[in-house]
Amino acid sequence: MHPIAQAELRGENADGIPFRAKQHHLHRTWARTFSSIPELYIQPETLAEIEKVVSLAHKCRRRIVTTGCGHSPSNITCTSSWMVNLDQFNKILSVNLETGTVTMESGIRLYTLCEELEQHGLAMPNLGSINQQSIAGAISTGTHGSSVHHGLISEDIHSLKITLANGTTEFCSSESNLELFRAALLSLGALGIITEITLQAVPAFTLKWRQTINTDYKVFKSWPLDLWTQSDFVRVWWFPYTRRAVVWQADKTTEPEKDPLESYYNRLLGYYIYHNLLYVAQFVPRILPWIEWFVFGMQYGFANGSTTTAIQPSRKTLLMNCLYSQFVNEWAIPLHKGPEALRRLSSWLNHLNPDDPDYVPHNIPFSADGLYVHAPVEVRVSDTTLTSNVRPYLDPTVDNGPTLYLNATLYRPYWRDPPCRDRYYEAFEWLMKDMGGRPHWAKNFETYRPDIEGMYGENLEAFRKIRDQVDPEGMFVGPWHRDRIMADLPGSKLELEEVEVSRKKAVNGGLIVSGLV
């Protein structure tokens, strides 16, 4: 460890600004897909402490990674250098009830933010499927919700402050420092440490939701009609082996709250039954179609037309239980291409032949023989083109219309990787690229720089230009960034950029990553 850092750890500083760091911290992603042991794990509580950490990192020639709950299952937050966690930098700074604007420290978790907003009669306009992330982490990875009336969560950000590699903190918005704002709205942690965010909230609202089971044929038939516009919020879970789907829709209401009726299976019993069945399928994968049929029926009902309803606050209604450790591979494609994409995936997974009425040529150049996957595929939608705010340079959504998100989830029962992962995701990503898709930045995609450069073109170049200006030595750059968004030029490795040197299997699952500054 650098002598300057050692002196700070011993409290031998004269500036009076705490350096809240510790050693031997084990960092894991939420799904335990990756882990690493940073040299220092730092939890600042004030802006002055954050600026001090960045200045010390520069003096000690260290890379910085910022992390929250680690919900992204990739290696983007792994480091052997300095890790900054902002869980203690999480206060609401101001609430303007006339305009609905709320300013907060960037480390606040979404569940805390929603609870605090509710006390003021406010709510976030939109939420993703979970609320464990910090607000900074949610916008930095392009988090979205399930509504054709909303885009990325970043569309509701008026302004933010970000501490850059030189230790100074800059303000940016659509009216001030525009280029930095567009880069910071989806920064992937590669620009600096976002420290303050001003969000446009809305009056608190209640949602009446209904989920209905039906054949995927009926879902595909309603797709170009009213499937995505019939309600304020809509999402679909598609089960390829049963060729059925659950359509969930929610609308704003003033009716009194009413929780959903739950069967005995939808509690701990169902949780452990499904988990253990998935574990057995690790060794006998061919039983997975039966498992998915059984669990689908027990959870949602075996008959088409089965319906569940409830009325709940938006901060509860829009969430989804992620259940178990999992890999997630999510892509954004044009909304109108959804039925084609799902039918091609179904033809491949189910080995359909041309005589089957559901058959379409899938053209996937990989074999599905002996391949059995988990279900469902989560299907959601957004439309960032409706926003009056500027769009991030690295916005993965469609440029000229609504966007569909397809999320191929694979569970890791008791922390064990599913045997189908490599081949399934290879085929899934090939299909998504063939459909003109872009990967969700926070997920487990294996598509790299050459393809990503083709997807983003001038926008990626603009992002790189800003990134290089504010962090010329690569203090916030690691191997994940190098593989996907950094320019591939001779001698392009930056002085403080971290390089991965090894991976090994962890005892409790996942990969331990080691890096070298």
Side-chain angles (χ1 to χ4, degrees), residues 19-34:
F19 184 63
R20 305 179 197 273
K22 65 179 182 180
Q23 298 173 276
H24 313 300
H25 173 82
L26 174 61
H27 166 72
R28 290 179 179 148
T29 60
W30 173 84
R32 295 193 184 183
T33 44
F34 287 93

Side-chain angles (χ1 to χ4, degrees), residues 315-384:
R315 65 180 179 86
K316 292 182 179 179
T317 306
L318 296 174
L319 303 181
M320 184 185 73
N321 189 343
C322 289
L323 294 178
Y324 322 112
S325 170
Q326 58 194 248
F327 292 112
V328 282
N329 199 335
E330 183 175 22
W331 284 65
I333 65 174
L335 177 61
H336 70 274
K337 293 186 178 182
E340 178 189 351
L342 293 174
R343 291 183 69 196
R344 288 173 67 181
L345 189 59
S346 177
S347 291
W348 183 73
L349 283 172
N350 290 307
H351 307 277
L352 300 185
N353 60 60
D355 297 329
D356 193 303
D358 291 328
Y359 171 80
V360 295
H362 58 73
N363 299 323
I364 297 174
F366 308 101
S367 172
D369 291 345
L371 182 76
Y372 299 94
V373 304
H374 301 156
V377 172
E378 185 183 27
V379 186
R380 292 185 288 164
V381 67
S382 76
D383 193 347
T384 307

Side-chain angles (χ1 to χ4, degrees), residues 50-243:
I50 293 172
E51 291 176 338
K52 176 176 179 174
V53 167
V54 174
S55 296
L56 284 174
H58 186 268
K59 292 178 183 178
C60 297
R61 316 307 291 160
R62 293 295 188 266
R63 179 199 174 200
I64 288 178
V65 172
T66 309
T67 186
C69 69
H71 204 271
S72 295
S74 75
N75 64 321
I76 191 171
T77 57
C78 288
T79 183
S80 295
S81 194
W82 290 11
M83 178 172 289
V84 174
N85 172 270
L86 298 180
D87 282 350
Q88 306 305 315
F89 190 71
N90 61 355
K91 298 181 181 63
I92 298 288
L93 300 177
S94 67
V95 178
N96 187 323
L97 293 178
E98 292 185 6
T99 63
T101 54
V102 181
T103 301
M104 67 208 76
E105 294 174 337
S106 60
I108 191 170
R109 299 290 186 93
L110 293 183
Y111 59 84
T112 301
L113 173 59
C114 289
E115 290 170 358
E116 299 239 5
L117 289 177
E118 192 172 59
Q119 294 178 13
H120 296 281
L122 298 172
M124 293 185 67
N126 191 19
L127 273 173
S129 294
I130 65 164
N131 61 1
Q132 297 297 310
Q133 314 105 307
S134 67
I135 182 65
I139 67 170
S140 293
T141 52
T143 298
H144 61 90
S146 311
S147 172
V148 77
H149 305 296
H150 297 277
L152 301 180
I153 286 180
S154 61
E155 73 179 2
D156 300 308
I157 305 302
H158 281 305
S159 64
L160 55 83
K161 292 181 180 179
I162 182 169
T163 301
L164 304 177
N166 62 7
T168 64
T169 301
E170 289 198 25
F171 172 89
C172 58
S173 70
S174 59
E175 299 176 349
S176 176
N177 214 342
L178 175 61
E179 289 78 13
L180 179 60
F181 187 57
R182 289 190 66 188
L185 278 177
L186 205 165
S187 69
L188 302 172
L191 301 181
I193 302 177
I194 294 175
T195 55
E196 185 179 299
I197 292 172
T198 297
L199 168 78
Q200 179 62 60
V202 297
F205 59 98
T206 299
L207 289 171
K208 183 177 185 178
W209 63 262
R210 178 174 73 255
Q211 64 182 28
T212 306
I213 302 163
N214 227 310
T215 63
D216 61 7
Y217 172 79
K218 186 171 182 179
V219 170
F220 297 154
K221 188 176 179 179
S222 66
W223 198 287
L225 302 176
D226 63 349
L227 175 63
W228 301 105
T229 58
Q230 61 186 323
S231 295
D232 294 328
F233 298 88
V234 180
R235 60 180 174 235
V236 172
W237 293 279
W238 175 66
F239 292 77
Y241 292 130
T242 61
R243 303 188 203 178

Side-chain angles (χ1 to χ4, degrees), residues 483-501:
D483 288 343
R484 292 165 177 83
I485 63 170
M486 301 297 290
D488 184 22
L489 301 171
S492 59
K493 180 186 176 300
L494 304 174
E495 190 171 344
L496 298 184
E497 178 182 339
E498 189 173 20
V499 176
E500 182 179 315
V501 296

